[in-house]
Amino acid sequence: MPLHASEILDKCQQLSIKPGPPEDFNQRKQSDRFVPGTKTTLIRNATIWTGLVEGLEIIKGDILLHNGLIKELGVIENTTAYPDLEEVDANGAWATPGIVDMHSHLAVDAAPSLRGANDGNSHNGPILPWLRALDALNTHDDAYQLSIAGGVTTSLILPGSANAIGGQGAVIKLRRTSTRSPTSMLLENPYTTNVTEYDPKKAFRWRQMKHACGENPDRVYSATRMDTVWAFRQAYNKAYQLKQAQDQYCENALAGNWDGLAPGFPEDYQWEALVDVLRGRVKVHTHCYETVDLDDIVRITNEFQFSIAAFHHAHETYLIPETLKSAYGHPPAVALFATHARYKREAYRGSEFAPRILAENGLQVAMKSDHPVLDSRFLTFEAQQAHYYGLDWNLAMLAVTGTPAQVVGQDHRIGFLKEGDYPHPIAVIGYDADVVLWDSHPLALGAIPKQVWIDGISQIAKPHSVKKPPTVQEKPQTPNFDKEKQETLEYDGLPPLAPHKTTHRSVVFTNVSDVVIRQGGSIQEMTTTRFGNAVVVEAGRIICSGIATACEHAVSGHDVEYVNLHGGAIGPGLITFGSPLGLEEIQGEPSTSDGYAFDPLYQEVPGVIGGSGAIIRAADGLQFRTREALHAYRAGVTTAIVSPKSAGFLSGLSTVFATGAKHRLEKGALIAETAGVHIGIHHGVGPSVSTQIAALRNLLLGHGQSHLGQWFKNVAEGKMPLVINVESADIIATLIHLKCEVEEAVGSSLKFVFAGASEAHLIAAEIGQAGAGVILTPFHAFPSRWEQRRILPGPPLTAESAVTTLLAHNVTVALGRKIASDARYARLDAAWAALEAGGSISRKDALALVTSNLEKLLGIPSEDDADLVATVGGGLSDYSSKVVAVISSRRGLVDMI
């Protein structure tokens, strides 16, 4: 018998212990995360969504938070046992469990991004199960408080996707702890050796593991899918052999058959985590998009008999639900973006209907951020969009609460406001006191926490709320997308998106409740109409609007198409700015893109295009009817302003085009061949900022060559706007000084527009005084770079937003988006900005942010008969509506969507 036989036998016995909480977990009286001195909190008069009954249960009542736990739930009358009670009157506001983000790189890809804290991926080999995200968890990430401000209380922090097996994830609470250590943020630390805290002989804590297949590991290691799959199989075969050796060894040891056994238990520290995957004690999260990759992983699970907790990103899962159901053990859950797709080939078939389709096939759906790819502060926006496109409201709510909690193995304590094993019917024992109190229904656009509690501790020191209309307190009504969903499946994820031009002479829109148009360079409410009114259109122009009977005379002949808007509206066609819409089809595939412009400040420009005097025109690289352009068109975005793609100082000349046009030669396709001269000035992208400023000064003072010099002469003479992509307030201040310097030298007034402008709010008064404009791109900034670290986040962290601050200083403000797949959100951005302003931005002013203000800043002639869009079921800003037609006088048509 070996000297350490008892230790070996302990190890052998622990191999059979299944993961999960101890049997008596929900009988605990105090959370293991309780902070002594935390006062008991009573949230009164709340509308409580518990997550129970498949997410359908709603209770009117109170929530008592005590000892870091949800002590009681319901109508709570007796609180005499809590003399230091803090009461919060919810006034009927919605209360939910804390939001759970099950795919985040918070703290390992910290904000702002700095070279010294770039710990998301190791490039030391495709198979690295022994690495741990915990060991790279940066407690100084600026995004913690921002994410909490969006209601996120728990996140699964995963290594990146450079490797087939990238390492172990960490489930953390986002609350700052007194020790300020990464370890103290862990929820159920699986690595601790303190048996008073965690005794693996009684219950085994779940671990999390990151896998990735497809393009990412293939690209990083210059490999193929065949190589990556072999790497998986080779790794799992090694783990399987080690598991078999352990099982055989323990079978003999537990039977007392020590003869012939090695003196030590067979183990390998590097491979123990992968062995535990085979023992069913690790939640495996697999970054996997395409059918071929999903099928590969499913086969591997059956070959080595282990389960996948979830496929992440998983853009084609909705096309192959039966394949997912054939995975070993149980079907994986699917963690999705709502609409973020087509950024690489394997995401090309991504669909906004995927959450609904998967749920209809009985598969669990979670929405995730992949933070900082998407800012996890707005994870609920992903749930809102999933619901808009057809996912049942209760499942959309669960997709960011109970479902991810269950998938990561923590639904015994988070993700629900759930009754525990206790005889009192309204008592809740054992669930963590992670609660969000919202200013509106969580699925309503712009829903903001009024307060967030983690472990019973309020997280927002001085929360700011704004007054919102009563309608946002109700669950949003959504349009019917049955036809679009069915076409998505019929066409294998690539349904036709092109509109159908009506062939009828006249189109009559009936049951129109509202008409808003662009006129004289501004937004005008054409009439205050009522349900039942009609709008008659011929050749893309409104010829009558009013009571249906009064417009009958305007209908000529019998060649008429009638469209019932069911209380919908006619509104202005929207404009998008800031993304490469129309210049690329798939971001990660150079062969589908216009590419990047030559930049004389960074590289030698070929003489054949004019050398250092060349300037590139975006119009020359346009691709019409890309899928993203058509998605935008179908969302009411009829016009796009794009500049040449640039990685440095000089971008070139922007262009303005119709997103629904077939090609450049079609009537009305190119609205303005050139709109503005675009440059960028940033830290850390080549020559110093002072060098970039010097180059700009030189060009503005007339020292540029050839075409480049002529266009900058136009800027210096005030004939052409200069659009400067800039984030830092310090650089903006320098640019304002330069503007004054050049104006004094040349005697003209320059038109400066600052795009991006994350820190513009810091010098809003100076921008207003200088007569410069701002395009916030996007309007919810994120401190991804050092020069963006001083953002103004808006409610609930600050009373004012960047939009309201700039408008208060008479700055002309517009909104844009940097990502092509987000161009469709123009209508929601405008509505969101208005909601966040608490009534200080009217509907007309909100629409101007994504229409006439952009025209004004870019000097685009505003037409009184500009594009209009028809929406069914509500107006442009309503979640209940969808676009059914585009009315274009410029193109002389009505497009049916």
Side-chain angles (χ1 to χ4, degrees), residues 12-28:
C12 289
Q13 290 166 349
Q14 289 179 35
L15 295 181
S16 61
I17 297 175
K18 300 300 181 185
E23 291 183 1
D24 61 351
F25 183 83
N26 283 338
Q27 297 175 21
R28 61 186 180 151

Side-chain angles (χ1 to χ4, degrees), residues 152-493:
V152 180
T153 58
T154 303
S155 293
L156 170 58
I157 309 303
L158 293 168
S161 53
N163 307 296
I165 301 179
Q168 300 168 48
V171 180
I172 67 168
K173 292 282 191 82
L174 272 56
R175 172 177 66 82
R176 183 181 178 88
T177 66
S178 59
T179 65
R180 304 182 182 183
S181 68
T183 303
S184 65
M185 300 179 73
L186 287 176
L187 181 60
E188 299 198 350
N189 181 0
Y191 308 117
T192 183
T193 56
N194 183 352
V195 294
T196 61
E197 175 191 337
Y198 166 46
D199 186 354
K201 296 178 183 179
K202 295 181 180 179
F204 198 85
R205 287 178 171 175
W206 284 108
R207 283 191 286 178
Q208 318 288 326
M209 180 79 74
K210 176 68 178 293
H211 288 10
C213 55
E215 291 184 28
N216 282 25
D218 292 354
R219 182 185 67 253
V220 170
Y221 294 101
S222 300
T224 67
R225 283 176 165 79
M226 295 181 288
D227 295 305
T228 300
V229 170
W230 170 243
F232 272 122
R233 296 181 66 224
Q234 189 176 40
Y236 271 106
N237 186 57
K238 184 174 181 63
Y240 174 77
Q241 291 174 347
L242 184 55
K243 176 181 179 293
Q244 290 293 95
Q246 291 176 352
D247 291 346
Q248 185 62 52
Y249 187 97
C250 287
E251 182 180 344
N252 287 313
L254 291 170
N257 299 325
W258 295 98
D259 292 343
L261 290 182
F265 178 77
E267 55 188 343
D268 187 321
Y269 204 43
Q270 280 192 306
W271 295 97
E272 58 83 22
L274 210 58
V275 172
D276 261 0
V277 170
L278 298 180
R279 295 194 185 281
R281 305 204 290 191
V282 179
K283 297 283 190 176
V284 177
H285 300 269
T286 304
H287 159 122
C288 209
Y289 288 76
E290 272 192 283
T291 298
V292 58
D293 301 313
L294 296 162
D295 189 57
D296 286 342
I297 296 298
V298 166
R299 285 201 314 274
I300 291 170
T301 69
N302 286 297
E303 180 180 0
F304 293 98
Q305 298 187 351
F306 68 94
S307 295
I308 298 290
F311 281 120
H312 292 239
H313 306 313
H315 281 61
E316 292 189 16
T317 47
Y318 71 97
L319 295 172
I320 54 166
E322 296 308 313
T323 297
L324 271 60
K325 293 177 184 179
S326 68
Y328 182 80
H330 60 79
V334 185
L336 298 164
F337 296 127
T339 61
H340 185 46
R342 287 165 290 282
Y343 45 88
K344 52 183 175 177
R345 177 191 169 276
E346 59 190 7
Y348 192 58
R349 282 178 165 78
S351 172
E352 57 270 45
F353 306 113
R356 171 186 175 179
I357 294 168
L358 289 163
E360 289 174 346
N361 279 275
L363 294 163
Q364 286 184 301
V365 173
M367 308 309 295
K368 51 91 173 99
S369 71
D370 195 16
H371 181 98
V373 173
L374 300 184
D375 182 355
S376 62
R377 178 185 176 190
F378 304 113
L379 180 54
T380 51
F381 182 69
E382 297 299 292
Q384 292 162 14
Q385 289 303 294
H387 177 49
Y388 176 76
Y389 286 110
L391 182 65
D392 289 344
W393 77 269
N394 55 310
L395 298 181
M397 294 279 287
L398 284 171
V400 291
T401 53
T403 298
Q406 181 182 355
V407 172
V408 302
Q410 296 295 328
D411 58 319
H412 57 283
R413 64 184 298 168
I414 63 171
F416 298 91
L417 305 179
K418 183 178 179 183
E419 293 183 357
D421 299 327
Y422 193 76
H424 197 289
I426 63 168
V428 182
I429 302 297
Y431 273 73
D432 290 14
D434 298 348
V435 180
V436 184
L437 189 65
W438 301 88
D439 72 347
S440 47
H441 191 289
L443 293 180
L445 178 68
I448 296 170
K450 295 163 75 73
Q451 186 54 274
V452 178
W453 289 267
I454 302 179
D455 302 321
I457 304 171
S458 59
Q459 296 299 300
I460 306 174
K462 295 181 179 180
H464 299 274
S465 294
V466 296
K467 185 179 180 181
K468 290 186 175 180
T471 53
V472 300
Q473 299 302 329
E474 304 298 326
K475 174 176 63 68
Q477 301 299 310
T478 57
N480 185 309
F481 285 103
D482 289 351
K483 177 176 177 289
E484 292 88 341
K485 183 207 79 169
Q486 196 56 44
E487 287 181 344
T488 298
L489 293 172
E490 180 183 347
Y491 288 90
D492 198 28

Side-chain angles (χ1 to χ4, degrees), residues 19 93 108 147 150 171 175 195 314 322 351 377 397 400 421 469 505 585 591 620 647 671-672 715-716 742 772 825:
V108 292
S147 296
V171 180
R175 172 177 66 82
V195 294
E322 296 308 313
S351 172
R377 178 185 176 190
M397 294 279 287
V400 291
D421 299 327
R505 177 184 176 88
E585 183 71 77
S591 65
D620 295 337
I671 299 165
V715 170
V742 174
Y825 289 145

Side-chain angles (χ1 to χ4, degrees), residues 36-172:
T38 301
K39 290 186 177 181
T40 300
T41 299
L42 178 64
I43 306 169
R44 285 205 180 277
N45 305 318
T47 304
I48 306 165
W49 181 83
T50 67
L52 298 178
V53 196
E54 298 182 339
L56 295 170
E57 182 179 70
I58 298 171
I59 297 172
K60 300 284 188 177
D62 316 318
I63 308 171
L64 184 66
L65 313 180
H66 177 67
N67 284 347
L69 304 175
I70 300 175
K71 181 71 173 178
E72 291 187 55
L73 180 71
V75 178
I76 302 171
E77 297 178 349
N78 185 3
T79 59
T80 56
Y82 313 104
D84 294 329
L85 186 73
E86 288 188 351
E87 289 198 27
V88 175
D89 191 347
N91 290 311
W94 287 89
T96 71
I99 301 301
V100 181
D101 188 353
M102 65 175 278
H103 187 134
S104 176
H105 303 292
L106 181 77
V108 292
D109 283 337
S113 178
L114 296 168
R115 190 176 300 171
N118 184 10
D119 292 310
N121 283 296
S122 170
H123 290 177
N124 288 330
I127 304 295
L128 302 168
W130 45 85
L131 300 185
R132 307 184 304 183
L134 171 64
D135 300 326
L137 209 66
N138 185 342
T139 58
H140 302 299
D141 191 331
D142 285 358
Y144 284 117
Q145 192 61 32
L146 293 172
S147 296
I148 290 171
V152 180
T153 58
T154 303
S155 293
L156 170 58
I157 309 303
L158 293 168
S161 53
N163 307 296
I165 301 179
Q168 300 168 48
V171 180
I172 67 168

